């Protein structure tokens, strides 16, 4: 595949903070004592501007409290599978871990909350943590539309699952296109998690799972902002021609990139290096930019 020509400056504009470090989550499952030093090492590399926060599960905070952080402050996004009612305990534990800076919360919708009551609970959290970005993991069922409508006009963002350890954890192109069109239409920023292992749509050679490409997703978000129809979004999400997708994303103007990234904030990846290597192969990053990280 012929790579596109690299544009100076596109890394800072288009890929800044795109890769949240989810090394501890499947399929990477890196042990805590290895994942945190590796994150610190990434922070000193040439590609550090592409790195988002370290993703950490709230149920494992006790383990973190017993660790000595090796190198400075850890910027963290905390996943909260138990919903808002479990946050008081998590905040109490975090208060004793001085080297962690809480940057974001990723909150699962539990069965006890309606859309309205969830927003009320989030308002209470935001009042005490105004510097923390709050993402709500949107259910993949008939509740999706009502929860997204509830987030519209608030300061809260959405989180979509784009894969997992089972095939049915992956939304198909139509489901993901509909989700993208809805959040863009309601002006709700979002992040993604799981399954975006490569830049371009692909079939995993080991599992056989159909996997979305994160650059495909970025282009779909841009097109949704340009009022593209659902069929066009589906086609872009399913496109396996990496050169074509890369050429289209490389032509975005600075204003278009700003609009795109204001909508699509980041995604969790258990490997920071693999997506960087993909971008270099597509010509969207210079190979010298990622070469240092190739052995991490």
């Amino acid at each position: 595949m012929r790579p596109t020509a690299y544009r100076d400056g596109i890394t800072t504009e288009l890929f800044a903070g795109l890769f949240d470090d989810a090394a501890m989550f499947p399929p990477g499952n890196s042990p805590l004592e290895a994942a945190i030093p590796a994150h610190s090492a990434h922070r000193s590399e040439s590609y550090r501007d592409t790195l988002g926060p370290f993703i950490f599960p709230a149920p494992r905070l006790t383990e973190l409290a017993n660790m000595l952080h090796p190198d400075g402050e850890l910027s963290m996004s905390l996943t909260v599978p138990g919903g808002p009612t479990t946050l008081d305990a998590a905040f109490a534990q975090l208060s004793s871990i001085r080297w962690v800076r809480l940057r974001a919360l990723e909150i699962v919708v539990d069965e006890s909350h309606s859309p309205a009551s969830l927003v009320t609970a989030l308002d209470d959290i935001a009042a005490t943590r105004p510097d923390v970005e709050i993402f709500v993991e949107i259910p993949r069922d008939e509740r999706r539309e009502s929860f997204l409508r509830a987030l519209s006009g608030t300061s809260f963002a959405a989180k979509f699952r784009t894969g997992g350890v089972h095939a049915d954890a992956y939304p198909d192109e139509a489901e993901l296109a509909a989700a993208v069109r809805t959040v863009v239409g309601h002006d709700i920023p979002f992040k993604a998690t799981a399954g975006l292992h490569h830049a371009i749509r692909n079939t995993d050679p080991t599992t056989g799972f159909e996997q979305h490409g994160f650059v495909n997703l970025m282009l779909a978000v841009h097109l949704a902002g340009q009022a593209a129809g659902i069929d066009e979004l589906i086609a872009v999400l399913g496109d396996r021609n990496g050169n074509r997708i890369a050429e289209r994303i490389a032509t975005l103007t600075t204003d278009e990139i700003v609009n795109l990234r204001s909508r699509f904030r980041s995604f969790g990846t258990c490997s920071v290096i693999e997506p960087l290597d993909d971008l270099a192969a597509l010509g969207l990053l210079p190979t010298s930019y990622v070469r240092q990280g190739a052995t991490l």
Side-chain angles (χ1 to χ4, degrees):
M1 177 175 60
R2 179 180 59 83
T4 57
Y6 169 68
R7 269 201 321 168
D8 289 338
I10 197 171
T11 52
T12 299
E13 298 168 357
L14 187 56
F15 304 118
L18 182 63
F19 309 127
D20 293 343
D21 188 351
M24 292 177 59
F25 291 80
N29 297 313
S30 178
L32 173 62
E33 52 276 6
I36 290 182
H39 183 80
S40 295
H42 290 315
R43 288 285 179 197
S44 66
E45 292 287 349
S46 58
Y47 52 83
R48 59 187 173 272
D49 59 314
T50 66
L51 197 63
F54 185 74
I55 311 297
F56 194 86
R60 295 183 63 178
L61 280 172
T62 301
E63 299 173 48
L64 196 66
N66 295 328
M67 256 193 89
L68 291 177
H69 185 46
D71 184 25
E73 186 178 73
L74 180 70
S75 178
M76 175 187 290
S77 183
L78 192 70
T79 63
V80 190
T85 57
T86 64
L87 272 171
D88 285 345
F91 288 153
Q93 288 178 299
L94 278 171
S95 66
S96 65
I97 308 172
R98 301 298 181 184
W99 46 270
V100 167
R101 179 173 72 88
L102 184 61
R103 179 169 158 185
L105 294 167
E106 304 176 21
I107 302 175
V108 172
V109 175
D110 58 57
E111 295 295 335
S112 68
H113 280 102
S114 67
S117 68
L118 177 69
V119 169
T120 298
L122 298 182
D123 283 336
D124 292 341
I125 296 166
T128 61
R129 303 271 175 164
D131 56 337
V132 174
E133 191 166 20
I134 297 176
F135 293 87
V136 176
E137 185 170 322
I138 303 299
R140 290 181 57 209
D141 54 30
E142 67 279 357
R143 297 175 295 165
R144 182 179 71 183
E145 189 69 27
S146 61
F147 276 97
L148 286 174
R149 283 199 304 268
L151 294 184
S152 181
T154 72
S155 62
F156 311 124
K159 174 182 172 180
F160 292 128
R161 287 205 163 266
T162 45
V165 295
H166 303 290
D168 59 5
Y170 290 80
D172 63 17
E173 298 97 316
E175 180 183 340
L176 186 54
V180 166
R181 198 179 188 202
T182 299
V183 290
V184 171
H186 286 298
D187 200 23
I188 303 168
F190 77 100
K191 70 168 294 183
T193 185
L196 296 174
H197 298 296
H198 294 286
I200 301 300
R201 174 72 180 222
N202 66 95
T203 303
D204 186 276
T206 302
T207 64
F209 297 164
E210 297 298 313
Q211 296 182 336
H212 294 289
F214 65 85
V215 179
N216 295 73
L217 179 55
M218 296 176 84
L219 183 57
V221 172
H222 164 68
L223 293 172
Q226 303 294 309
I230 192 72
D231 289 343
E232 185 175 0
L233 302 186
I234 291 172
V236 164
L237 289 172
D239 193 347
R240 296 168 184 265
N241 187 319
N243 192 55
R244 179 166 56 218
I245 294 293
E247 286 179 344
R248 293 182 71 180
I249 206 77
T251 63
L252 299 186
T253 67
T254 298
D255 286 345
E256 288 171 338
I257 289 170
V258 169
N259 288 334
L260 162 59
R261 291 305 312 281
S262 71
R263 294 177 170 121
F264 181 22
R265 297 291 178 77
S266 64
F267 69 94
T269 175
C270 62
S271 170
V272 172
I273 300 305
E274 287 180 1
L276 289 170
D277 286 345
D278 275 10
L279 292 176
L282 290 167
L284 294 173
L285 285 178
T287 54
S288 60
Y289 189 79
V290 298
R291 190 170 295 140
Q292 295 178 65
T295 59
L296 284 179

